[in-house]
Amino acid sequence: MRGSQFRKACLDGQLMTRPGVLLPVLQRWSCHNCGGCCREHEITITQEEKRRIEGQNWSIADGVAADRELIVSQGTAWRLNHQDDGACVFLDQSGLCRIHSKFGEAAKPLACRLYPYAIHPAGHMVTTSLRFSCPSVVQNLGEPVTSCRSSIEALSKEVVPAGYQAPEAPELRPGQPLQWPDMTRVLAFLDRGLADTAVSFLTRLTRILSWIELLGKVEGSVVAGDQLAKILPLLYEASVRAYPQDESPETAPSGLGRVMFRQLVAQLIRHDTAVARNSGLSARLRLLLQGLRFTLGRGRVPTLPDPESVRVAFVERAGVAEVAASATFRQLEQPFGGRNPELDQLFTRYFQVKLQGLHFCGPAFYQFSVIEGFQSLALMYPAVLWTARLRATKEGRNTLQRRDVEAALATLDHNYGYSPVLGMNASRQRIRQLAQMQQIAVLCAWYSR
Ligand code: SF4
């Protein structure tokens, strides 16, 4: 579905009333076997999947380790075990899945078959987003996602079984419920704001942030039905009048704004694998110290290992520098030339996939309201550009290249919407406070220079 079709379907009220699966049209994907997802993720399995895998009768002759369980308990659930280096027990030396090789795709657990798709129920529809932690997604490599409709529809039936109770729409702001038809009206205007390529991505983002700030102030009784339908275009036009064209705002973020922003980046960038989580007190202490150094923002940026998928796809295959300790926090505050049509295109695709897949609010994003969720998504823009600066600095450059930004986006999207830390009350308060201090648009502009 193209952007304009998406908006039309939203405004006609088709999206949430006609059963079906909504796919992102701008996006391509095929697996390029970097092996990253098999090393970075913890695969929880159902009782039925446990029975199926046990019934496959794995032995040393198949290459699996003799000295460890293939399946281990995790609280009341089960998960696939890891090898010492963090890889799934079923990952072979050549980076392929042994279950897939021996029994075919269908024999794998649902979580493995699903990645990098993220399928969410939305009223009577099912939306599909993608995880940009997969390097092939971020680089837009492979088949158009629309050509995989039948396999995605089959997956969606497993994720959202028949008879599933349609969920409530996300709140507009905390405590302000929305009905699905009103939610689709709001979505249509968010999408319209992103699609206006006559201006830069930064200007579009700034307009939307000002538009949703106005929407957040509208009296509760007005944000429903016909009244909402009348007010949305007026607010949108007001935001366009406020930011009619591209400018180069150079206002520096406040001291507190920068501290909160670096804390957010520290949570997005941390390497949160099962192995890291289970490696005891010293690993947790290291994470704590890293967080402290990001909060202080002085001296050198701590060394942070790349996720495996980024290491293989970008460092090994594309020659991007590994992030090292050679950058100082101060260096990353200089201009890096982050505003250009190529990067705008990448961010537009990322935002549209997350927006159309409802991967920024509600059950897919820590139950955030639409406004908080969009503000949180908007902060990914400066966070990714900050992380890309770290990569460019390592190579001695003070201008960004597309691959720096792609690698940074793949790194940060791993945690976006999935790290429990980002859904905690303190993280939510941080987004609210940054919005109240009018710092979100300022941060977007500052790190796009
Ligand atoms: S991260 Fe993406 S490209 Fe790499 S193995 Fe997983 S699905 Fe394939």
Side-chain angles (χ1 to χ4, degrees):
M1 187 176 287
R2 297 202 174 277
S4 56
Q5 287 173 302
F6 174 79
R7 286 192 293 287
K8 185 171 183 317
C10 280
L11 293 171
D12 291 349
Q14 292 171 14
L15 266 196
M16 306 302 163
T17 52
R18 290 190 191 169
V21 177
L22 180 65
L23 302 176
V25 82
L26 285 174
Q27 186 63 48
R28 294 174 166 269
W29 175 72
S30 304
C31 176
H32 290 73
N33 295 325
C34 73
C37 53
C38 310
R39 292 175 189 274
E40 299 290 328
H41 296 272
E42 207 159 74
I43 301 297
T44 307
I45 56 174
T46 62
Q47 234 358 295
E48 167 54 30
E49 287 170 334
K50 178 173 179 281
R51 263 196 299 275
R52 191 168 75 219
I53 292 168
E54 284 167 347
Q56 291 166 351
N57 294 321
W58 292 95
S59 71
I60 311 172
D62 296 305
V64 293
D67 60 345
R68 73 183 60 210
E69 299 292 326
L70 297 178
I71 295 170
V72 290
S73 66
Q74 178 165 273
T76 54
W78 300 96
R79 69 169 171 83
L80 300 185
N81 204 0
H82 291 105
Q83 303 176 37
D84 286 338
D85 64 355
C88 171
V89 276
F90 287 108
L91 193 67
D92 71 16
Q93 302 297 329
S94 53
L96 297 176
C97 169
R98 289 192 174 92
I99 304 182
H100 193 140
S101 305
K102 196 168 175 192
F103 297 102
E105 162 101 29
K108 294 193 293 187
L110 175 62
C112 305
R113 288 181 282 126
L114 199 55
Y115 187 87
Y117 294 120
I119 293 175
H120 308 117
H124 295 286
M125 284 290 294
V126 174
T127 62
T128 310
S129 173
L130 285 103
R131 297 186 63 175
F132 280 61
S133 49
C134 166
S136 299
V137 173
V138 89
Q139 295 171 99
N140 211 21
L141 300 177
E143 299 294 316
V145 167
T146 45
S147 69
C148 307
R149 175 171 285 282
S150 57
S151 56
I152 297 172
E153 280 177 349
L155 283 169
S156 78
K157 285 186 185 133
E158 291 185 65
V159 178
V160 187
Y164 182 88
Q165 177 73 38
E168 304 267 308
E171 294 178 324
L172 178 66
R173 55 186 178 230
Q176 175 69 59
L178 268 186
Q179 299 301 314
W180 278 113
D182 294 331
M183 171 73 194
T184 61
R185 287 190 179 106
V186 174
L187 272 182
F189 274 86
L190 288 173
D191 194 65
R192 175 174 161 185
L194 281 178
D196 183 3
T197 50
V199 289
S200 70
F201 182 78
L202 174 66
T203 303
R204 285 176 260 156
L205 200 52
T206 310
R207 284 177 180 174
I208 299 176
L209 286 166
S210 96
W211 173 70
I212 59 169
E213 189 191 339
L214 294 173
L215 186 59
K217 290 180 181 155
V218 171
E219 215 180 292
S221 58
V222 180
V223 292
D226 290 346
Q227 302 234 55
L228 180 69
K230 278 187 201 139
I231 204 166
L232 285 175
L234 297 178
L235 295 182
Y236 181 72
E237 280 155 24
S239 73
V240 174
R241 275 199 303 278
Y243 301 96
Q245 61 201 25
D246 292 337
E247 286 169 22
S248 295
E250 296 285 322
T251 312
S254 68
L256 182 57
R258 282 188 221 221
V259 168
M260 293 172 115
F261 172 70
R262 286 195 306 269
Q263 287 174 334
L264 170 70
V265 175
Q267 288 179 346
L268 283 165
I269 211 170
R270 65 190 246 180
H271 202 223
D272 231 356
T273 61
V275 172
R277 273 199 303 283
N278 297 333
S279 46
L281 195 62
S282 64
R284 266 177 273 152
L285 205 61
R286 203 167 43 245
L287 277 179
L288 209 69
L289 285 174
Q290 262 174 24
L292 193 64
R293 286 173 68 185
F294 269 81
T295 300
L296 294 173
R298 297 212 188 100
R300 298 198 174 278
V301 179
T303 312
L304 303 153
D306 280 319
E308 186 63 11
S309 50
V310 170
R311 197 190 60 73
V312 172
F314 291 98
V315 178
E316 263 181 28
R317 295 182 185 171
V320 174
E322 265 183 278
V323 174
S326 57
T328 62
F329 283 101
R330 185 188 286 267
Q331 274 175 296
L332 305 186
E333 298 299 310
Q334 306 308 313
F336 272 74
R339 287 177 214 150
N340 69 56
E342 204 185 12
L343 298 186
D344 279 8
Q345 223 174 31
L346 170 62
F347 282 113
T348 303
R349 176 164 55 85
Y350 176 68
F351 272 62
Q352 286 191 323
V353 167
K354 296 289 169 183
L355 189 77
Q356 296 180 6
L358 286 183
H359 208 171
F360 72 104
C361 63
F365 197 82
Y366 315 113
Q367 295 296 354
F368 274 29
S369 66
V370 175
I371 290 179
E372 287 173 309
F374 191 83
Q375 287 165 339
S376 197
L377 181 60
L379 281 163
M380 282 295 279
Y381 178 61
V384 168
L385 290 170
W386 187 94
T387 309
R389 289 167 171 223
L390 195 56
R391 294 194 159 275
T393 308
K394 164 70 174 118
E395 287 189 22
R397 285 182 279 110
N398 59 3
T399 50
L400 295 184
Q401 294 181 355
R402 186 185 173 106
R403 60 198 177 115
D404 303 320
V405 180
E406 287 174 339
L409 181 50
T411 303
L412 300 197
D413 194 65
H414 179 81
N415 281 345
Y416 176 81
Y418 293 90
S419 164
V421 176
L422 290 167
M424 285 164 71
N425 208 24
S427 306
R428 205 165 176 157
Q429 286 297 344
R430 185 169 50 223
I431 306 284
R432 282 185 200 157
Q433 217 176 326
L434 283 169
Q436 276 163 12
M437 297 189 310
Q438 307 280 328
Q439 287 293 295
I440 299 181
V442 172
L443 286 161
C444 291
W446 184 251
Y447 290 107
S448 69
R449 289 141 58 239

